[in-house]
Structure formats: C-alpha cells, structure tokens
Amino acid sequence: GAAYAAGRGFTAKPGQTMTVPGASGTVVYVGLGSADSVDTTTVRRAAAAAARAASRHGSVALDVLDRLPGAVDPEAAAAAAVEGLVLGAYRFDAHRSEPAPAPLRSVRLVAASGKGMAGAIARGEAIAEAVCWARDLVNEPGGSMTPTEVAARVRALGRRHKLKVSVMDEAAIRKAGMGGLLGVNRGSEQPPRFVKVSYVPDGTSAGTVALVGKGITFDSGGLSIKTAEGMKTMKDDMGGGAAVLAAMAAVSALGVGVTVHAYVPLTDNMTGGDATRPGDVLVIRGGTTVEVLNTDAEGRLVLADALTLATDEAPDAVIDLATLTGACMVALGKGVAGLMGRGDDWLAQVEAASARTGERVWRLPLPDDMRPQLDSKVADLRNIGAGAHGGALIAGLFLREFVGADLPWAHVDIAGPAWSDDASAEVSAGGTGFGVRLLVDLLENFERPTR
Ligand code: BES
Ligand code: MN
Ligand code: ZN
C-alpha cells in the first residue's frame, strides 16, 4: 500500500492525502512532513486532512499517534488529533434543502499505549465542540442570527455547561448608559442585547480574567455604507463574541482554575431611517463622548461600553477579540491576528498560548504619537483617525481609552482569521472559530500578570 502510494506521487508533504482501496477497507495516507518538524500543529492538521479524506466513509481508524517522533508529548498529540478530526469533519448544512451526505460517524484512535489518553481525548473533544459552536454562530446568516437569537443560544449553552448567564435587554442597556451599543443599534429593527457569562471554578481560583468579544451580528457599515462586495462576509462580524462565548463552554467542561467573565455587546449595524448619522455624538458608558465620523467604525463603539464595564469589575487581566479593521488584514494577511495592548507580561502569555495552539498572532504597536488623531473638535474623541494609514493601530488606541490604566489588557484583531473563503486542514470555509483554542489555552495556563 505505502509503496503503491509513493509510486503514485505521495511524498508525505504535510497535509497531503492519498486514498488507496485495500482488501480490508480503504487506506488513507496522510503526510506529516519530515520527522524533526512534527509537532501538535502537524498532528491536528493531519487528523483534519484525514477526516476530510474519509468523509465519505462512516467510520475511520487513525493511527497517527504511533507514528510520532519521541519529542511530541503523546497526550497533547492525542488532544490535537481529536481536535483535528472534529474540526476537519465540521460542516454547516443547516440551510441545505437536499439532505447532506451521511457524515463520518465513528472514529477510533489507535495507540500502543492508552495511558492518559481518555483525559486528552475528552479535552480535545470539549475544545473542538466549542470551536464548532462558534462556527455555527458565525455561519448562520445575519438575518436570523440576531442579537435575540445569539442570547437564546448563549442561555442554552449556559444551561448545558453550568455557566451563569445574564442578558441585558434594550431597557437595561439604556439604564447602564451604554451609548455606544445604543448608537450602533439605532439604525436597526432588531433590539440590541448585552450578554455576560461567568464561570467560577469549584476549588481555589488563581485569579479573574475578563473576555470581551465584538458581537456585530451583521455589519452593513451603517450610513457610511460598505460596498456590496465588502458586505458579503459581514455576518462574521460577531466572530470575536462567538469565540469568547464558546471558550466559556470549554473552560467549564475542563474545570479550569480561574474565574472568567465574558462580556459581549450584540447588535447589527444597519441603515434604518433613524440610524446614527456621521457627526452624531454618542456617550459611552462612563461618560466619554465620541463624535462618530464614520458609522462603519462601529466595533470600537460597542467594545468601549463593554471594556468600561469589564474594567469596573476589577479583573486581573482583560483580553478582547474583535473583527475590527480591514487594515489589520492589509498588514498581516488572512491567517494572522494583530495583537496590541498594555502589560508585557500579559501580552507574552497571549503569545505563548498562540505558539502552543497554532492560532497565530503578531504584535503591533500602539504609538502614542498617533493618539492625537483621535482628538475631536466637538467631543472627547472621534471614532476614526485623521489619516488613511495605520487603521488597526488607531482602533487599538481608541479601545485603550476605555481600559483601566493599570489593567493588563490584550486586544486581538481577528478581522483576517475569523473567516476563510476556503477550507484547509482544521480551518473550515466560512466562520473559522479562530481564537477559541487560544483563549482556552491562555486560561488554562493563566498566571496573574505582573503590572
Ligand atoms: N467589521 C469591519 C472590519 C472588517 C473588515 C472585518 C473586513 C473583516 C473583514 C469593521 O467594522 C469596519 O468596518 N472597519 C472599518 C474601519 C474604518 C471605517 C475606520 C474598516 O476597516 O474599513
Ligand atoms: Mn464596520
Ligand atoms: Zn464591524
């Protein structure tokens, strides 16, 4: 079999697959690349490639764990293999009228020693399921995945995973003074929601982390309207919110030892007859006034409300995930998220989680000399910069205004990696669920940052 595959051009490049029919079943060869470069990311990708290649079969046995070089931790590899299998097999078929072909139903993971594997497999499953939950939220169209619907799904998630869920309706949002969220919602027929989800560990807690996610269920740009082309994927504008909410489910399933609160402001950004006009001034929670000169820079407005609330509840660190700027995609491409913030220790923890999970981030600066671009002639701040350049940094500088001065804070701009036009390895087409794995790893390894 292997010789046959090699003869037909199988060179074991990472992710390469070749299917060879055999007497006792079909054999799928999956490339891992050269032995010295194999790590858990390779395993996750290979398992995902295997799941895709085997998708027309009801069951598959995967023996990758017995083929790894000694340097790869067997339990981490087992968890990565399970993640890859589940993520590679993911499909979004909710809106197909033809019944989708029967999916892969059963998987056997073959390993010489099963020691410690049950825990690793459960861990991989919990994380992958959370990623799929986030993908479903993003993939459901903006017209049906409304703020109300997101809140309903979060309530159901909370019941399944013993999480405390509280949902603010429009009246509560007004009472809380969240003028950013209300301002963005003003052009919509759909009422806004603000969801907060809390997890408290059973034993002692190593600290408290606040997760904040952008939850724009559809971004038309508002009156500063996007092009038709630019709007096509804008149901993904709640990818950050979906990721932080999904991470809460995994955190609970894994019994992580830190207290975690997730804050997600939810609205679409529409063009209704009473939509926020360019030039309007909004009052963010806490009193800061913002002149809205571009209604398409809406994410920072809803995040401002959420960040002030998170700050007031005094966590040890905060991290936000947001599909915030096209400029970040220009800078870093589709596959890498921009990382900005305050507090080197905390940002280093984010980078370490990124390295372990293969969800790539890259540090960008928050240059103080760009801050005057946010000065307004009529309000405390304006919501866009003065020039055409450095849009990801301008957005980061804007958010920084709403985070407590000595609170370690990471801002992850996921505009690129939250969405993929094509499927490859563990990345699905459409919403990718980017950030869930990074967040869970970050929380599992959390150490109270030095300030
Ligand atoms: N949701 C978009 C950012 C985005 C663009 C995400 C493309 C994914 C793909 C955000 O709300 C936005 O429109 N940002 C503007 C900001 C600008 C008006 C300062 C942008 O990037 O063009
Ligand atoms: Mn926008
Ligand atoms: Zn947006």
Side-chain angles (χ1 to χ4, degrees), residues 214 216 219-221 226 234 237 269 294-299 324:
K214 174 175 173 182
I216 299 294
D219 183 8
S220 75
K226 289 183 182 298
M234 280 301 125
D237 215 15
N269 184 25
N294 189 319
T295 63
D296 199 11
E298 85 296 341
L324 206 59

Side-chain angles (χ1 to χ4, degrees), residues 233-248:
T233 62
M234 280 301 125
K235 68 178 181 181
D236 88 335
D237 215 15
M238 30 76 83
V244 309
L245 294 165
M248 296 302 287

Side-chain angles (χ1 to χ4, degrees), residues 291 293-294 297 300 370-375 382-391 393-395 397-398:
E291 181 189 12
L293 289 175
N294 189 319
R300 61 198 74 182
M370 287 174 75
R371 168 61 184 80
Q373 289 192 41
L374 291 170
D375 288 342
R382 44 189 265 158
N383 78 328
I384 52 169
H389 301 117
L393 321 184
I394 291 283
L397 285 165
F398 183 92

Side-chain angles (χ1 to χ4, degrees), residues 140-143 145-147 150 190 215-219 234-238 266-269:
E140 183 65 31
M145 188 49 68
T146 58
V150 174
Q190 292 291 331
I216 299 294
T217 53
F218 180 77
D219 183 8
M234 280 301 125
K235 68 178 181 181
D236 88 335
D237 215 15
M238 30 76 83
L266 294 158
T267 179
D268 48 6
N269 184 25

Side-chain angles (χ1 to χ4, degrees), residues 2 10 27-36 38-39 42-43 46 61-72 77 110-112:
F10 182 74
V27 177
V28 179
Y29 290 90
V30 184
L32 292 172
S34 75
D36 54 340
V38 170
D39 58 13
T42 325
V43 174
L62 187 73
D63 67 352
V64 66
L65 297 178
D66 284 342
R67 295 166 184 276
L68 299 176
V72 183
V110 181

